[in-house]
Amino acid sequence: MDFVTPIEPPPVRGDSAPRESATTTRHAVRLTPWVRLELAAASTRGRRREVNEDAHSALSGSTPLYVVADGVGGGAMAARASRELVHRLHDALDAHRIDARAIRNAVLRADREVGRTIARETDDAGAATMALCAGTGMLLSRWLIAWVGDCRVYRLSAGGEEPAQLLTVDDTYKHLSEAPPPARMIGNGAVSSPNIDRVALAGGEMLVLCSDGIHKHVGPGEMSEVLRDSAPLARRCARLLALARVRGSRDDATVLVVRREPRHERVALMVAAGLLVTAIAAAIVVTASDRGFRGSHRAPTASYDTGRVVASAESSFSGQTSSRTREP
């Protein structure tokens, strides 16, 4: 699994310690015969951090599954918790049938395993919040979303000036009228049932996953304005991070965007090709039937009924994914 930052963050040795690159961006395109997914992500280290405690999915995986995780607790254990969480969710769900039950089981298993990993290293706390989306069906028009804590998922319509639509409700103890810590987290045994919902994604619409380093400082209207720009999608994501900084964010910040576009021309071509193959097959069957009849009947005035002809054609395609990485 390819992560934005290493599994093990570098040790902290004062001002001379090596620091992670402040901001990273990624871009990929996932193609199937039916749909095109454009994917972009950007993540930045907080101004007072040696390592970025956020993590997100690689964009070139074989499964349309994408995760943003926000490490909680500070230091190496927070960074490790977020990266291990992303890894474990992909390990449990990639190349498998994804439904609400599978996501729930994967999150609960990750909660146990991340907690065990940290407990073997230190008595200090370490956990993570997360937001997840997974495409289902041949057309990838139906998506499952899941979240724990205060990472969020938004949906952005294809046109107009409507603000981004918030699809999640922060899974915080304040919202639940319970005692602190401020948010439910994966890795500390506080997850009894992850939040899971189903959403539709039309052509040209986007799903936006982000950590609180963005949504605490950028409103839905500003998010919509930045992400609807005409610049390359990865650059728009980087601009969203920059806007959060201007608005006062000092935390790590991560955004991952999925944009869905049906491939209408490709679908029409496939349908036309299928009809042509069916017509050719039907003609071959009719010709063969005609020859067979003539060979078995010598009378020149014989009449006949060709009956019904059924022909079918099958085509199989595999999705293609292209990706590239850029660090500005």
Side-chain angles (χ1 to χ4, degrees), residues 8-14 17-18 50-51:
E8 292 292 344
V12 177
R13 299 188 183 91
E50 294 294 333
V51 295

Side-chain angles (χ1 to χ4, degrees), residues 109-133:
R109 185 161 53 249
D111 182 38
R112 295 191 299 269
E113 295 303 323
V114 170
R116 289 171 183 168
T117 296
I118 294 173
R120 287 195 293 265
E121 300 290 336
T122 178
D123 293 332
D124 295 336
T129 62
M130 72 92 188
L132 171 155
C133 69

